[in-house]
């Protein structure tokens, strides 16, 4: 499936669907495909992307479209990240905030042993969120500078 065919396919699905959650997934796919279309890729790289689109089996007519296309979108984004180091905007911020909050809970439990447990957990989550946001924003800025953001 070529990039243009995939864009047209998702545009048609978007017009057919009335569910906001499905439309959101189709819109995300369309945005990624349009950004890929505007990037300078070699013929082999374009062929590789088109082969990945074929392997996602988007033309099948599943019963649960939202689940199938959400999984396909996730797999496609992972493929782009692994193969071309392309990430979506805010990728590193979302990842590091999540990890920061996770480690913040652990740190909060350790801090909470000395003080009140709920206070320690609250402080740990806040600090983890703050540190994760800082690290993520810096990584996103580096990715944008390198031209690896879709």
């Amino acid at each position: 499936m070529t990039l243009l065919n995939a864009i047209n396919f998702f545009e048609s699905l978007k017009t057919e669907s009335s569910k906001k959650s499905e439309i959101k997934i189709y819109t995300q796919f369309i945005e990624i495909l349009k950004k890929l279309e505007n990037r300078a890729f070699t013929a082999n790289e374009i062929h590789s992307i088109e082969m990945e689109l074929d392997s996602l089996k988007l033309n099948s007519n599943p019963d649960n479209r939202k689940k199938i296309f959400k999984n396909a979108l996730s797999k496609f984004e992972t493929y782009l990240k692994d193969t071309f180091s392309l990430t979506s905007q805010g990728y590193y911020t979302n990842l590091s905030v999540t990890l920061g909050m996770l480690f913040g809970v652990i740190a909060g439990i350790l801090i909470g042993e000395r003080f009140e447990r709920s206070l320690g957990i609250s402080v740990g989550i806040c600090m983890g969120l703050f540190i994760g946001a800082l690290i993520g924003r810096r990584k996103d800025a580096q990715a944008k500078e390198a031209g690896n953001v879709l």
Side-chain angles (χ1 to χ4, degrees), residues 3-102:
L3 291 175
L4 186 59
N5 289 346
I7 291 171
N8 291 337
F9 174 72
F10 283 110
E11 288 285 350
S12 68
L13 287 176
K14 187 176 169 183
T15 57
E16 290 174 10
S17 181
S18 60
K19 296 180 182 177
K20 287 185 180 181
S21 58
E22 284 183 16
I23 292 173
K24 183 177 176 182
I25 294 169
Y26 302 148
T27 303
Q28 288 175 338
F29 245 120
I30 292 168
E31 288 175 5
I32 289 172
L33 292 170
K34 284 184 179 180
K35 289 176 183 176
L36 287 175
E37 196 174 45
N38 294 333
R39 291 181 75 89
F41 286 114
T42 64
N44 289 336
E45 292 172 337
I46 291 173
H47 182 68
S48 171
I49 292 170
E50 290 172 352
M51 292 297 290
E52 181 64 22
L53 285 172
D54 285 336
S55 72
L56 294 175
K57 298 180 178 134
L58 299 173
N59 288 331
S60 65
N61 195 3
D63 292 332
N64 190 353
R65 285 184 174 184
K66 178 184 172 190
K67 180 180 175 184
I68 299 297
F69 287 120
K70 189 171 186 172
N71 287 339
L73 178 63
S74 176
K75 286 179 185 176
F76 190 60
E77 286 177 334
T78 303
Y79 166 77
L80 291 175
K81 173 149 180 21
D82 293 343
T83 307
F84 302 108
S85 299
L86 296 174
T87 60
S88 58
Q89 191 170 2
Y91 172 80
Y92 291 111
T93 302
N94 291 336
L95 179 66
S96 59
V97 164
T98 305
L99 292 174
M101 286 175 47
L102 175 73

